[in-house]
Amino acid sequence: FQTEMIDIIKSYNQDCCFSCRRISCFHHQPRVYPTQGISTQKSRDLNINMACEMSKTTRVSPVLRHLRKLQQNAKANNAPSDALIQIETCIDCIHARNDYCETISSPPSDVIDNIVTETETHPWQQVRDEGKVLSDVAPIMLSGALEGTFLKMLTGMSNAKRALEIGLLTGCSALSIAEALPADGEVVTCEISEYLASLARKLVDHSPHGKKIKIMTGPGTDCLQQMAKEGQKFDFVFIDADKPGYIRYYKIIMDNDMLTPRGTILVDNALYAGMSYLPQDKLQLSARFTTTNHVMREFNEYVYNDDRVSQVLLPIHDGVMIIRRKEAFEGTA
Ligand SMILES: C[S@@+](CC[C@H](N)C(=O)[O-])C[C@H]1O[C@@H](n2cnc3c(N)ncnc32)[C@H](O)[C@@H]1O
């Protein structure tokens, strides 16, 4: 898998920005490919992690996966060069659209930028092997600069004071939310891995907004049940942890009245790489990625059938669902 990913990275434009990987970035320094002044192990981790990151768009977009397959087949079968150029132009168009959105949006703070770089260079294989994180934890899970800016914008727009996150990773989304909260605001974030909780703590504390972040370590369900018992309420909730847990997390929050009357719930990966809306034979994903292909479809339907709320699913990145209480949505709260 990693060799395949490294092939993908090699096929990309090597002049893209080192920090954000955009070809037309004007927020960061020109990219230096990591061969000097960096240990061989770290360089290897960076290459592998960046290759995974590079494939992030491919992972979430079924269209891109089909185009890549078409490109491979065209090369293998010596298709006419104009056909190959057309396929590659389609791939470039998809990337250019994403790159443009990132480039023209406000840049992330330096601390968020640093979290992104640290996440990309972290020796994930080693920490996975040592059992310090779950076996699927990888930089591909990171929300990143654009989704971070989106979260920050939405948190600010919702006038939230108290926010809740399930799934911290290295702190990118928690800090994006914290940056938009007032000085006495708080983000409580739940993370199952103690290792990630302490790594994120160190990273977010480089920011003055880090003090607004409270990290709870343990399974999301336990953390939520404890907060529900304490009667805690939140204006803004971001669900971004294990997908099979989403219905459970949503139910605990809604059934225990943990969402304030005008509060907002944001749910990441609602499209789940196409698995929410495409049959297996159209996914162009290997079976090991599709063992839980039904879970987000079930979550989305659960919310759709819940009379207490109104929702909108936006096709941003891997799909973001925004949920509010019906009265707030209808303007009667
Ligand atoms: C997609 S990542 C979160 C990304 C992060 N929100 C961001 O945008 O940077 C999912 C995180 O959820 C954590 N996680 C997985 N299962 C969990 C559970 N049952 N309870 C709490 N956290 C969990 C993982 O360890 C991982 O750090």
Side-chain angles (χ1 to χ4, degrees):
F1 172 69
Q2 285 173 351
T3 317
E4 191 183 313
M5 286 301 125
I6 286 177
D7 284 344
I8 292 176
I9 194 175
K10 283 185 186 152
S11 74
Y12 273 73
N13 187 329
Q14 297 287 303
D15 296 327
C16 68
C17 169
F18 176 57
S19 298
C20 67
R21 299 166 307 285
R22 281 170 259 159
I23 292 162
S24 51
C25 165
F26 46 71
H27 295 317
H28 303 109
Q29 297 296 314
R31 176 176 172 189
V32 181
Y33 207 67
T35 49
Q36 286 172 348
I38 190 163
S39 74
T40 316
Q41 178 59 39
K42 198 147 183 171
S43 170
R44 189 180 149 270
D45 289 333
L46 180 60
N47 281 338
I48 292 168
N49 290 340
M50 282 181 68
C52 291
E53 184 62 19
M54 287 287 193
S55 67
K56 199 167 161 176
T57 316
T58 313
R59 278 278 296 275
V60 301
S61 163
V63 176
L64 208 42
R65 294 195 297 270
H66 282 287
L67 284 168
R68 288 230 172 265
K69 182 82 188 162
L70 206 56
Q71 181 190 33
Q72 267 174 18
N73 290 346
K75 279 184 185 162
N77 297 314
N78 289 324
S81 62
D82 59 336
L84 195 57
I85 289 170
Q86 291 250 344
I87 296 167
E88 286 170 353
T89 304
C90 292
I91 294 172
D92 288 347
C93 289
I94 294 175
H95 286 296
R97 182 179 188 267
N98 292 344
D99 292 347
Y100 180 70
C101 291
E102 280 209 21
T103 306
I104 214 73
S105 298
S106 295
S109 64
D110 289 348
V111 183
I112 299 243
D113 228 11
N114 183 50
I115 293 177
V116 173
T117 308
E118 285 294 321
T119 310
E120 283 168 350
T121 55
H122 205 71
W124 293 110
Q125 188 62 53
Q126 188 188 323
V127 291
R128 279 194 299 260
D129 291 347
E130 289 167 359
K132 291 177 177 165
V133 297
L134 297 177
S135 60
D136 61 346
V137 167
I140 202 166
M141 290 181 153
L142 187 75
S143 46
L146 185 65
E147 207 175 339
T149 306
F150 176 66
L151 272 171
K152 183 172 174 176
M153 187 65 88
L154 225 67
T155 308
M157 284 163 63
S158 61
N159 282 325
K161 190 165 173 192
R162 294 204 78 227
L164 167 69
E165 173 184 73
I166 308 146
L168 166 73
L169 192 66
T170 46
C172 180
S173 47
L175 186 58
S176 302
I177 296 169
E179 285 178 353
L181 293 177
D184 59 346
E186 183 178 52
V187 190
V188 181
T189 170
C190 315
E191 171 56 54
I192 198 163
S193 155
E194 285 188 16
Y195 178 85
L196 287 175
S198 86
L199 174 66
R201 181 81 270 161
K202 275 187 228 137
L203 293 171
V204 299
D205 281 348
H206 286 119
S207 160
H209 301 282
K211 61 179 182 305
K212 298 177 197 165
I213 301 176
K214 179 181 165 192
I215 301 175
M216 286 181 84
T217 314
T221 308
D222 295 359
C223 299
L224 285 176
Q225 275 165 346
Q226 184 189 325
M227 287 186 276
K229 261 194 218 145
E230 294 164 359
Q232 295 208 34
K233 294 200 187 294
F234 298 93
D235 309 305
F236 190 83
V237 178
F238 183 46
I239 305 181
D240 190 20
D242 54 317
K243 311 309 156 205
Y246 276 29
I247 292 186
R248 207 166 50 243
Y249 301 145
Y250 173 81
K251 266 175 69 61
I252 298 174
I253 293 163
M254 292 305 295
D255 296 355
N256 292 284
D257 223 11
M258 293 173 77
L259 183 71
T260 53
R262 297 189 57 77
T264 304
I265 301 178
L266 217 78
V267 178
D268 205 12
N269 309 105
L271 296 176
Y272 209 19
M275 289 183 270
S276 294
Y277 59 95
L278 288 174
Q280 181 76 26
D281 62 336
K282 299 252 185 321
L283 283 171
Q284 196 62 250
L285 273 175
S286 67
R288 71 200 168 96
F289 288 120
T290 57
T291 46
T292 54
N293 65 358
H294 54 284
V295 293
M296 287 312 292
R297 191 191 295 245
E298 279 167 17
F299 174 81
N300 295 339
E301 284 169 15
Y302 188 87
V303 174
Y304 179 83
N305 289 317
D306 185 352
D307 289 338
R308 295 172 292 187
V309 297
S310 298
Q311 69 286 338
V312 59
L313 203 170
L314 300 174
I316 297 172
H317 188 48
D318 196 22
V320 174
M321 185 181 273
I322 306 179
I323 306 167
R324 297 189 76 203
R325 289 181 189 277
K326 202 147 245 154
E327 310 84 67
F329 182 70
E330 302 295 346
T332 56

